[in-house]
Amino acid sequence: MNDILRIAVQKSGRLSEDSFALIKECGIDFQNGIGQLKAQATNFPAEFLLLRDDDIPGYVADGVADIGIVGENVMAEKDKNVIIAHRLGFSKCRLSIAIPKNEEYRGAGGLEGKNIATSYPKILQKFLHEQGVSANIHEISGSVEIAPSIGLAEAICDLVSSGSTLFTNGLKEVETIFRSEAVLISQISLSEGKANLLNKLLFRIKSVQNARKNKYILLNAPKSKVEDIKRLIPGMRSPSIMELADKDWVSMHSVINENDFWNVIEALRGAGAEGILVIPIEKMIL
Ligand code: PRT
Ligand code: ZN
């Protein structure tokens, strides 16, 4: 039997653009007609289900989809029988408690008996329980940040990324209770054929993620400095070294990590490297 991996993706929203970009970078093409709920991949045995993010964990748990891309916050709140197959690193945000900015925060204990508005009652309840605090949770589905100003609640618990929504609503963040990023979730037990397809997809995703984290670097170095420079750019195995027409110099090629990028560049210049070129990598197979 020819297996097909059914992948649930948010139809339109904050996760969609990065999800579709990742799928494309994994070399998977599909036609996404406006208003369509399903799309067939043209060059990979996969079918995409385009859904609201809230429905994704349930669809995956029930086996309507095999895997899905969703915020970890939604996965935790829906609390369905699914596992994280891979962390995707985009749509990072945090779920935080916020109170009016002029009020003093006296720790989680100060929330005792208070009204807290949120779209994430389960995650909030778990936090309050761990803190031994009992508060009244008001579940609302949107515009949580206006709850204190209309007298619905004394505090809110909502997603924050830049913090500007809290700021414009006269609120301050006092407690982070959950950190989230987009995750690839999977049914607990996939058939062997589908598990193989998931592994193929994961291999491609990791190659894309490695490529994004690394840069290809080329530089010229005096032969006398090659050993010093080799230590700075060890690369995937070791740097490539090529002779230049000027016999006292070589060209060195390697891969460096985005995280310590500027420190390495400064150290290379200090060690005598010249003509440094840094180039993005499209895919990186380890
Ligand atoms: O229609 P559908 O149900 O599919 O989408 P949705 O409207 O429920 O979700 P959507 O598209 O808004 O968000 C999808 C996911 O993106 C969330 O579940 C999170 O995992 C992630 N994400 C990342 C965010 C944010 N950042 C974020 N900032 N989701 C929402 N926000 C909102 C937040 O609720 C608040 O209103 O942005 C505001 C705060 O942003 P700052 O930058 O002002 O702090
Ligand atoms: Zn939603």
Side-chain angles (χ1 to χ4, degrees), residues 25-73:
E25 282 185 79
C26 287
I28 301 176
D29 297 325
F30 67 96
Q31 253 96 46
N32 179 13
I34 294 168
Q36 256 183 270
L37 297 178
K38 265 196 205 178
Q40 203 82 35
T42 52
N43 56 357
F44 191 87
E47 181 177 71
F48 294 92
L49 306 181
L50 308 171
L51 305 167
R52 285 199 58 191
D53 67 344
D54 314 71
D55 296 332
I56 293 176
Y59 274 101
V60 172
D62 296 345
V64 177
D66 302 306
I67 61 171
I69 299 178
V70 75
E72 205 177 344
N73 51 306

mmCIF file of all heavy atoms in Angstrom, residues 25-73:
data_model
loop_
_atom_site.group_PDB
_atom_site.id
_atom_site.type_symbol
_atom_site.label_atom_id
_atom_site.label_comp_id
_atom_site.label_asym_id
_atom_site.label_seq_id
_atom_site.Cartn_x
_atom_site.Cartn_y
_atom_site.Cartn_z
ATOM 1 N N GLU A 25 10.900 24.888 1.694
ATOM 2 C CA GLU A 25 12.351 24.673 1.785
ATOM 3 C C GLU A 25 12.706 23.197 1.893
ATOM 4 O O GLU A 25 13.833 22.799 1.603
ATOM 5 C CB GLU A 25 12.928 25.442 2.979
ATOM 6 C CG GLU A 25 13.092 26.917 2.689
ATOM 7 C CD GLU A 25 13.777 27.618 3.838
ATOM 8 O OE1 GLU A 25 15.000 27.521 3.941
ATOM 9 O OE2 GLU A 25 13.062 28.237 4.645
ATOM 10 N N CYS A 26 11.745 22.388 2.335
ATOM 11 C CA CYS A 26 11.960 20.935 2.373
ATOM 12 C C CYS A 26 11.737 20.334 0.992
ATOM 13 O O CYS A 26 11.727 19.108 0.843
ATOM 14 C CB CYS A 26 11.017 20.283 3.379
ATOM 15 S SG CYS A 26 11.482 20.602 5.081
ATOM 16 N N GLY A 27 11.507 21.190 0.000
ATOM 17 C CA GLY A 27 11.370 20.715 -1.380
ATOM 18 C C GLY A 27 10.013 20.107 -1.670
ATOM 19 O O GLY A 27 9.876 19.336 -2.618
ATOM 20 N N ILE A 28 9.006 20.424 -0.854
ATOM 21 C CA ILE A 28 7.668 19.856 -1.080
ATOM 22 C C ILE A 28 6.771 20.935 -1.685
ATOM 23 O O ILE A 28 6.582 21.994 -1.090
ATOM 24 C CB ILE A 28 7.069 19.314 0.240
ATOM 25 C CG1 ILE A 28 7.997 18.232 0.817
ATOM 26 C CG2 ILE A 28 5.663 18.763 0.008
ATOM 27 C CD1 ILE A 28 7.579 17.688 2.162
ATOM 28 N N ASP A 29 6.251 20.634 -2.872
ATOM 29 C CA ASP A 29 5.375 21.607 -3.556
ATOM 30 C C ASP A 29 3.931 21.169 -3.453
ATOM 31 O O ASP A 29 3.634 19.983 -3.499
ATOM 32 C CB ASP A 29 5.719 21.674 -5.051
ATOM 33 C CG ASP A 29 7.131 22.171 -5.277
ATOM 34 O OD1 ASP A 29 7.575 23.031 -4.507
ATOM 35 O OD2 ASP A 29 7.783 21.662 -6.210
ATOM 36 N N PHE A 30 3.056 22.150 -3.305
ATOM 37 C CA PHE A 30 1.633 21.825 -3.408
ATOM 38 C C PHE A 30 0.889 23.064 -3.865
ATOM 39 O O PHE A 30 1.354 24.189 -3.684
ATOM 40 C CB PHE A 30 1.080 21.303 -2.076
ATOM 41 C CG PHE A 30 1.030 22.307 -0.962
ATOM 42 C CD1 PHE A 30 -0.149 22.999 -0.697
ATOM 43 C CD2 PHE A 30 2.141 22.551 -0.169
ATOM 44 C CE1 PHE A 30 -0.201 23.915 0.338
ATOM 45 C CE2 PHE A 30 2.094 23.468 0.859
ATOM 46 C CZ PHE A 30 0.921 24.157 1.114
ATOM 47 N N GLN A 31 -0.262 22.808 -4.490
ATOM 48 C CA GLN A 31 -1.101 23.915 -4.935
ATOM 49 C C GLN A 31 -2.102 24.220 -3.844
ATOM 50 O O GLN A 31 -2.819 23.340 -3.396
ATOM 51 C CB GLN A 31 -1.864 23.528 -6.212
ATOM 52 C CG GLN A 31 -1.336 24.202 -7.449
ATOM 53 C CD GLN A 31 -0.355 23.320 -8.191
ATOM 54 O OE1 GLN A 31 -0.635 22.150 -8.374
ATOM 55 N NE2 GLN A 31 0.765 23.877 -8.606
ATOM 56 N N ASN A 32 -2.099 25.473 -3.403
ATOM 57 C CA ASN A 32 -3.018 25.854 -2.332
ATOM 58 C C ASN A 32 -4.062 26.817 -2.874
ATOM 59 O O ASN A 32 -3.889 28.019 -2.849
ATOM 60 C CB ASN A 32 -2.207 26.495 -1.198
ATOM 61 C CG ASN A 32 -3.085 26.941 -0.059
ATOM 62 O OD1 ASN A 32 -4.245 26.566 0.004
ATOM 63 N ND2 ASN A 32 -2.534 27.740 0.822
ATOM 64 N N GLY A 33 -5.140 26.255 -3.375
ATOM 65 C CA GLY A 33 -6.203 27.091 -3.933
ATOM 66 C C GLY A 33 -6.937 27.840 -2.838
ATOM 67 O O GLY A 33 -7.077 27.324 -1.730
ATOM 68 N N ILE A 34 -7.386 29.047 -3.142
ATOM 69 C CA ILE A 34 -8.101 29.840 -2.139
ATOM 70 C C ILE A 34 -9.359 29.092 -1.693
ATOM 71 O O ILE A 34 -10.088 28.539 -2.500
ATOM 72 C CB ILE A 34 -8.454 31.230 -2.724
ATOM 73 C CG1 ILE A 34 -7.159 32.001 -2.974
ATOM 74 C CG2 ILE A 34 -9.362 32.028 -1.790
ATOM 75 C CD1 ILE A 34 -7.321 33.236 -3.804
ATOM 76 N N GLY A 35 -9.560 29.047 -0.380
ATOM 77 C CA GLY A 35 -10.766 28.398 0.135
ATOM 78 C C GLY A 35 -10.653 26.889 0.263
ATOM 79 O O GLY A 35 -11.533 26.238 0.803
ATOM 80 N N GLN A 36 -9.542 26.338 -0.225
ATOM 81 C CA GLN A 36 -9.383 24.883 -0.129
ATOM 82 C C GLN A 36 -9.083 24.444 1.290
ATOM 83 O O GLN A 36 -8.426 25.162 2.043
ATOM 84 C CB GLN A 36 -8.194 24.471 -0.991
ATOM 85 C CG GLN A 36 -8.589 23.839 -2.303
ATOM 86 C CD GLN A 36 -7.352 23.408 -3.052
ATOM 87 O OE1 GLN A 36 -6.795 24.166 -3.835
ATOM 88 N NE2 GLN A 36 -6.903 22.205 -2.808
ATOM 89 N N LEU A 37 -9.547 23.258 1.663
ATOM 90 C CA LEU A 37 -9.240 22.730 2.990
ATOM 91 C C LEU A 37 -8.195 21.630 2.910
ATOM 92 O O LEU A 37 -7.637 21.226 3.915
ATOM 93 C CB LEU A 37 -10.514 22.167 3.640
ATOM 94 C CG LEU A 37 -11.598 23.207 3.882
ATOM 95 C CD1 LEU A 37 -12.832 22.556 4.484
ATOM 96 C CD2 LEU A 37 -11.081 24.314 4.808
ATOM 97 N N LYS A 38 -7.969 21.163 1.703
ATOM 98 C CA LYS A 38 -7.005 20.076 1.490
ATOM 99 C C LYS A 38 -6.136 20.437 0.313
ATOM 100 O O LYS A 38 -6.609 21.085 -0.625
ATOM 101 C CB LYS A 38 -7.759 18.816 1.097
ATOM 102 C CG LYS A 38 -8.069 17.884 2.225
ATOM 103 C CD LYS A 38 -8.437 16.562 1.588
ATOM 104 C CE LYS A 38 -9.317 15.722 2.458
ATOM 105 N NZ LYS A 38 -9.673 14.483 1.746
ATOM 106 N N ALA A 39 -4.874 20.013 0.357
ATOM 107 C CA ALA A 39 -4.008 20.231 -0.798
ATOM 108 C C ALA A 39 -3.064 19.046 -0.904
ATOM 109 O O ALA A 39 -2.496 18.598 0.098
ATOM 110 C CB ALA A 39 -3.224 21.527 -0.623
ATOM 111 N N GLN A 40 -2.926 18.549 -2.088
ATOM 112 C CA GLN A 40 -2.087 17.380 -2.333
ATOM 113 C C GLN A 40 -0.676 17.848 -2.693
ATOM 114 O O GLN A 40 -0.534 18.751 -3.525
ATOM 115 C CB GLN A 40 -2.693 16.646 -3.531
ATOM 116 C CG GLN A 40 -2.346 15.189 -3.608
ATOM 117 C CD GLN A 40 -3.264 14.365 -2.699
ATOM 118 O OE1 GLN A 40 -4.430 14.692 -2.562
ATOM 119 N NE2 GLN A 40 -2.716 13.335 -2.080
ATOM 120 N N ALA A 41 0.328 17.246 -2.080
ATOM 121 C CA ALA A 41 1.699 17.566 -2.497
ATOM 122 C C ALA A 41 1.933 16.941 -3.867
ATOM 123 O O ALA A 41 1.406 15.865 -4.150
ATOM 124 C CB ALA A 41 2.692 17.023 -1.488
ATOM 125 N N THR A 42 2.699 17.634 -4.695
ATOM 126 C CA THR A 42 2.893 17.119 -6.055
ATOM 127 C C THR A 42 4.147 16.257 -6.168
ATOM 128 O O THR A 42 4.288 15.495 -7.107
ATOM 129 C CB THR A 42 2.988 18.287 -7.066
ATOM 130 O OG1 THR A 42 3.976 19.212 -6.587
ATOM 131 C CG2 THR A 42 1.660 19.011 -7.206
ATOM 132 N N ASN A 43 5.071 16.371 -5.203
ATOM 133 C CA ASN A 43 6.344 15.645 -5.352
ATOM 134 C C ASN A 43 6.776 14.961 -4.057
ATOM 135 O O ASN A 43 7.954 14.749 -3.818
ATOM 136 C CB ASN A 43 7.426 16.615 -5.837
ATOM 137 C CG ASN A 43 7.568 17.807 -4.907
ATOM 138 O OD1 ASN A 43 6.821 17.924 -3.929
ATOM 139 N ND2 ASN A 43 8.519 18.665 -5.185
ATOM 140 N N PHE A 44 5.819 14.657 -3.173
ATOM 141 C CA PHE A 44 6.091 13.936 -1.914
ATOM 142 C C PHE A 44 4.759 13.284 -1.523
ATOM 143 O O PHE A 44 3.708 13.904 -1.718
ATOM 144 C CB PHE A 44 6.541 14.938 -0.825
ATOM 145 C CG PHE A 44 7.104 14.301 0.426
ATOM 146 C CD1 PHE A 44 8.450 13.977 0.528
ATOM 147 C CD2 PHE A 44 6.278 14.038 1.522
ATOM 148 C CE1 PHE A 44 8.966 13.394 1.687
ATOM 149 C CE2 PHE A 44 6.797 13.450 2.678
ATOM 150 C CZ PHE A 44 8.145 13.136 2.760
ATOM 151 N N PRO A 45 4.790 12.063 -0.987
ATOM 152 C CA PRO A 45 3.512 11.430 -0.646
ATOM 153 C C PRO A 45 2.875 12.062 0.600
ATOM 154 O O PRO A 45 2.902 11.508 1.693
ATOM 155 C CB PRO A 45 3.871 9.959 -0.419
ATOM 156 C CG PRO A 45 5.332 9.918 -0.277
ATOM 157 C CD PRO A 45 5.938 11.172 -0.797
ATOM 158 N N ALA A 46 2.353 13.266 0.417
ATOM 159 C CA ALA A 46 1.753 13.982 1.549
ATOM 160 C C ALA A 46 0.513 14.734 1.085
ATOM 161 O O ALA A 46 0.386 15.109 -0.078
ATOM 162 C CB ALA A 46 2.757 14.967 2.138
ATOM 163 N N GLU A 47 -0.374 14.918 2.056
ATOM 164 C CA GLU A 47 -1.576 15.709 1.808
ATOM 165 C C GLU A 47 -1.667 16.706 2.956
ATOM 166 O O GLU A 47 -1.431 16.341 4.102
ATOM 167 C CB GLU A 47 -2.776 14.758 1.846
ATOM 168 C CG GLU A 47 -4.097 15.420 1.586
ATOM 169 C CD GLU A 47 -5.213 14.376 1.568
ATOM 170 O OE1 GLU A 47 -5.537 13.843 2.638
ATOM 171 O OE2 GLU A 47 -5.733 14.108 0.486
ATOM 172 N N PHE A 48 -1.974 17.956 2.640
ATOM 173 C CA PHE A 48 -2.060 18.978 3.684
ATOM 174 C C PHE A 48 -3.517 19.259 4.022
ATOM 175 O O PHE A 48 -4.351 19.407 3.123
ATOM 176 C CB PHE A 48 -1.367 20.264 3.218
ATOM 177 C CG PHE A 48 0.105 20.068 3.046
ATOM 178 C CD1 PHE A 48 0.640 19.696 1.822
ATOM 179 C CD2 PHE A 48 0.961 20.189 4.137
ATOM 180 C CE1 PHE A 48 1.991 19.460 1.672
ATOM 181 C CE2 PHE A 48 2.319 19.950 3.992
ATOM 182 C CZ PHE A 48 2.830 19.588 2.757
ATOM 183 N N LEU A 49 -3.803 19.332 5.316
ATOM 184 C CA LEU A 49 -5.134 19.730 5.773
ATOM 185 C C LEU A 49 -4.982 21.130 6.337
ATOM 186 O O LEU A 49 -4.158 21.355 7.244
ATOM 187 C CB LEU A 49 -5.639 18.780 6.869
ATOM 188 C CG LEU A 49 -5.631 17.285 6.540
ATOM 189 C CD1 LEU A 49 -6.182 16.482 7.707
ATOM 190 C CD2 LEU A 49 -6.462 17.012 5.293
ATOM 191 N N LEU A 50 -5.730 22.076 5.809
ATOM 192 C CA LEU A 50 -5.569 23.472 6.212
ATOM 193 C C LEU A 50 -6.673 23.823 7.201
ATOM 194 O O LEU A 50 -7.860 23.869 6.847
ATOM 195 C CB LEU A 50 -5.606 24.358 4.964
ATOM 196 C CG LEU A 50 -4.616 23.878 3.885
ATOM 197 C CD1 LEU A 50 -4.797 24.615 2.577
ATOM 198 C CD2 LEU A 50 -3.178 24.017 4.365
ATOM 199 N N LEU A 51 -6.275 24.039 8.455
ATOM 200 C CA LEU A 51 -7.234 24.101 9.561
ATOM 201 C C LEU A 51 -7.006 25.315 10.462
ATOM 202 O O LEU A 51 -5.974 25.984 10.364
ATOM 203 C CB LEU A 51 -7.054 22.856 10.452
ATOM 204 C CG LEU A 51 -7.152 21.490 9.778
ATOM 205 C CD1 LEU A 51 -6.650 20.424 10.721
ATOM 206 C CD2 LEU A 51 -8.593 21.218 9.375
ATOM 207 N N ARG A 52 -7.949 25.534 11.393
ATOM 208 C CA ARG A 52 -7.700 26.493 12.478
ATOM 209 C C ARG A 52 -6.718 25.832 13.441
ATOM 210 O O ARG A 52 -6.809 24.630 13.701
ATOM 211 C CB ARG A 52 -9.005 26.807 13.208
ATOM 212 C CG ARG A 52 -9.910 27.726 12.404
ATOM 213 C CD ARG A 52 -10.920 28.370 13.315
ATOM 214 N NE ARG A 52 -10.231 29.115 14.369
ATOM 215 C CZ ARG A 52 -10.834 29.621 15.442
ATOM 216 N NH1 ARG A 52 -12.118 29.453 15.603
ATOM 217 N NH2 ARG A 52 -10.147 30.281 16.350
ATOM 218 N N ASP A 53 -5.820 26.605 14.005
ATOM 219 C CA ASP A 53 -4.776 25.993 14.853
ATOM 220 C C ASP A 53 -5.363 25.220 16.040
ATOM 221 O O ASP A 53 -4.861 24.167 16.411
ATOM 222 C CB ASP A 53 -3.744 27.039 15.311
ATOM 223 C CG ASP A 53 -4.309 28.076 16.255
ATOM 224 O OD1 ASP A 53 -5.547 28.211 16.360
ATOM 225 O OD2 ASP A 53 -3.503 28.776 16.904
ATOM 226 N N ASP A 54 -6.475 25.716 16.582
ATOM 227 C CA ASP A 54 -7.078 25.073 17.768
ATOM 228 C C ASP A 54 -7.517 23.634 17.495
ATOM 229 O O ASP A 54 -7.597 22.819 18.408
ATOM 230 C CB ASP A 54 -8.312 25.864 18.223
ATOM 231 C CG ASP A 54 -8.041 27.346 18.266
ATOM 232 O OD1 ASP A 54 -7.910 27.960 17.173
ATOM 233 O OD2 ASP A 54 -7.915 27.879 19.360
ATOM 234 N N ASP A 55 -7.825 23.348 16.219
ATOM 235 C CA ASP A 55 -8.330 22.016 15.869
ATOM 236 C C ASP A 55 -7.211 21.025 15.600
ATOM 237 O O ASP A 55 -7.456 19.823 15.522
ATOM 238 C CB ASP A 55 -9.233 22.112 14.617
ATOM 239 C CG ASP A 55 -10.468 22.950 14.890
ATOM 240 O OD1 ASP A 55 -10.899 23.004 16.054
ATOM 241 O OD2 ASP A 55 -10.984 23.567 13.943
ATOM 242 N N ILE A 56 -5.979 21.520 15.427
ATOM 243 C CA ILE A 56 -4.893 20.639 14.969
ATOM 244 C C ILE A 56 -4.563 19.515 15.970
ATOM 245 O O ILE A 56 -4.517 18.349 15.578
ATOM 246 C CB ILE A 56 -3.664 21.478 14.536
ATOM 247 C CG1 ILE A 56 -4.041 22.270 13.264
ATOM 248 C CG2 ILE A 56 -2.438 20.600 14.293
ATOM 249 C CD1 ILE A 56 -2.993 23.234 12.749
ATOM 250 N N PRO A 57 -4.380 19.809 17.285
ATOM 251 C CA PRO A 57 -4.048 18.686 18.185
ATOM 252 C C PRO A 57 -5.121 17.595 18.197
ATOM 253 O O PRO A 57 -4.798 16.406 18.172
ATOM 254 C CB PRO A 57 -3.928 19.362 19.564
ATOM 255 C CG PRO A 57 -3.602 20.783 19.257
ATOM 256 C CD PRO A 57 -4.349 21.106 17.990
ATOM 257 N N GLY A 58 -6.391 17.989 18.164
ATOM 258 C CA GLY A 58 -7.489 17.016 18.181
ATOM 259 C C GLY A 58 -7.515 16.166 16.916
ATOM 260 O O GLY A 58 -7.665 14.948 16.984
ATOM 261 N N TYR A 59 -7.317 16.814 15.768
ATOM 262 C CA TYR A 59 -7.311 16.066 14.506
ATOM 263 C C TYR A 59 -6.162 15.064 14.474
ATOM 264 O O TYR A 59 -6.317 13.958 13.964
ATOM 265 C CB TYR A 59 -7.189 17.020 13.307
ATOM 266 C CG TYR A 59 -8.520 17.572 12.832
ATOM 267 C CD1 TYR A 59 -8.932 18.854 13.163
ATOM 268 C CD2 TYR A 59 -9.359 16.805 12.029
ATOM 269 C CE1 TYR A 59 -10.152 19.359 12.732
ATOM 270 C CE2 TYR A 59 -10.573 17.295 11.590
ATOM 271 C CZ TYR A 59 -10.965 18.577 11.940
ATOM 272 O OH TYR A 59 -12.159 19.053 11.508
ATOM 273 N N VAL A 60 -5.009 15.470 15.006
ATOM 274 C CA VAL A 60 -3.854 14.553 15.015
ATOM 275 C C VAL A 60 -4.116 13.406 15.995
ATOM 276 O O VAL A 60 -3.884 12.236 15.678
ATOM 277 C CB VAL A 60 -2.544 15.312 15.351
ATOM 278 C CG1 VAL A 60 -1.384 14.341 15.560
ATOM 279 C CG2 VAL A 60 -2.204 16.305 14.236
ATOM 280 N N ALA A 61 -4.648 13.732 17.175
ATOM 281 C CA ALA A 61 -4.912 12.680 18.174
ATOM 282 C C ALA A 61 -5.939 11.682 17.648
ATOM 283 O O ALA A 61 -5.823 10.478 17.876
ATOM 284 C CB ALA A 61 -5.401 13.307 19.481
ATOM 285 N N ASP A 62 -6.956 12.178 16.908
ATOM 286 C CA ASP A 62 -8.016 11.296 16.405
ATOM 287 C C ASP A 62 -7.614 10.546 15.142
ATOM 288 O O ASP A 62 -8.398 9.744 14.627
ATOM 289 C CB ASP A 62 -9.285 12.105 16.086
ATOM 290 C CG ASP A 62 -9.867 12.726 17.344
ATOM 291 O OD1 ASP A 62 -9.465 12.289 18.441
ATOM 292 O OD2 ASP A 62 -10.695 13.650 17.228
ATOM 293 N N GLY A 63 -6.445 10.879 14.587
ATOM 294 C CA GLY A 63 -5.983 10.159 13.398
ATOM 295 C C GLY A 63 -6.529 10.711 12.088
ATOM 296 O O GLY A 63 -6.328 10.118 11.034
ATOM 297 N N VAL A 64 -7.214 11.855 12.136
ATOM 298 C CA VAL A 64 -7.666 12.481 10.882
ATOM 299 C C VAL A 64 -6.433 13.008 10.141
ATOM 300 O O VAL A 64 -6.327 12.906 8.926
ATOM 301 C CB VAL A 64 -8.668 13.624 11.174
ATOM 302 C CG1 VAL A 64 -9.075 14.329 9.892
ATOM 303 C CG2 VAL A 64 -9.873 13.082 11.912
ATOM 304 N N ALA A 65 -5.497 13.561 10.905
ATOM 305 C CA ALA A 65 -4.181 13.925 10.362
ATOM 306 C C ALA A 65 -3.139 13.059 11.078
ATOM 307 O O ALA A 65 -3.390 12.582 12.186
ATOM 308 C CB ALA A 65 -3.905 15.402 10.600
ATOM 309 N N ASP A 66 -1.985 12.853 10.437
ATOM 310 C CA ASP A 66 -0.924 12.057 11.075
ATOM 311 C C ASP A 66 0.000 12.938 11.897
ATOM 312 O O ASP A 66 0.446 12.570 12.979
ATOM 313 C CB ASP A 66 -0.099 11.339 10.007
ATOM 314 C CG ASP A 66 -0.973 10.434 9.155
ATOM 315 O OD1 ASP A 66 -1.666 9.600 9.743
ATOM 316 O OD2 ASP A 66 -0.969 10.606 7.918
ATOM 317 N N ILE A 67 0.298 14.104 11.340
ATOM 318 C CA ILE A 67 1.181 15.051 12.032
ATOM 319 C C ILE A 67 0.605 16.460 11.825
ATOM 320 O O ILE A 67 -0.298 16.661 11.001
ATOM 321 C CB ILE A 67 2.638 14.984 11.519
ATOM 322 C CG1 ILE A 67 2.713 15.333 10.028
ATOM 323 C CG2 ILE A 67 3.249 13.610 11.772
ATOM 324 C CD1 ILE A 67 4.145 15.503 9.523
ATOM 325 N N GLY A 68 1.143 17.435 12.556
ATOM 326 C CA GLY A 68 0.651 18.791 12.382
ATOM 327 C C GLY A 68 1.648 19.799 12.922
ATOM 328 O O GLY A 68 2.533 19.452 13.715
ATOM 329 N N ILE A 69 1.506 21.030 12.459
ATOM 330 C CA ILE A 69 2.355 22.112 12.965
ATOM 331 C C ILE A 69 1.470 23.037 13.780
ATOM 332 O O ILE A 69 0.462 23.557 13.276
ATOM 333 C CB ILE A 69 3.025 22.883 11.808
ATOM 334 C CG1 ILE A 69 3.914 21.956 10.989
ATOM 335 C CG2 ILE A 69 3.821 24.075 12.353
ATOM 336 C CD1 ILE A 69 4.585 22.618 9.785
ATOM 337 N N VAL A 70 1.851 23.243 15.051
ATOM 338 C CA VAL A 70 1.010 24.049 15.943
ATOM 339 C C VAL A 70 1.876 24.691 17.020
ATOM 340 O O VAL A 70 2.989 24.225 17.280
ATOM 341 C CB VAL A 70 -0.085 23.111 16.549
ATOM 342 C CG1 VAL A 70 0.462 22.200 17.613
ATOM 343 C CG2 VAL A 70 -1.262 23.901 17.081
ATOM 344 N N GLY A 71 1.382 25.749 17.637
ATOM 345 C CA GLY A 71 2.101 26.353 18.764
ATOM 346 C C GLY A 71 2.065 25.397 19.956
ATOM 347 O O GLY A 71 1.042 24.757 20.210
ATOM 348 N N GLU A 72 3.191 25.336 20.663
ATOM 349 C CA GLU A 72 3.249 24.444 21.827
ATOM 350 C C GLU A 72 2.194 24.839 22.863
ATOM 351 O O GLU A 72 1.688 24.004 23.611
ATOM 352 C CB GLU A 72 4.657 24.558 22.431
ATOM 353 C CG GLU A 72 5.084 23.369 23.206
ATOM 354 C CD GLU A 72 6.511 23.539 23.710
ATOM 355 O OE1 GLU A 72 7.240 24.429 23.199
ATOM 356 O OE2 GLU A 72 6.883 22.794 24.612
ATOM 357 N N ASN A 73 1.851 26.146 22.902
ATOM 358 C CA ASN A 73 0.820 26.638 23.823
ATOM 359 C C ASN A 73 -0.523 25.973 23.542
ATOM 360 O O ASN A 73 -1.222 25.558 24.460
ATOM 361 C CB ASN A 73 0.702 28.174 23.727
ATOM 362 C CG ASN A 73 0.554 28.677 22.296
ATOM 363 O OD1 ASN A 73 1.375 28.363 21.433
ATOM 364 N ND2 ASN A 73 -0.476 29.442 22.034
#
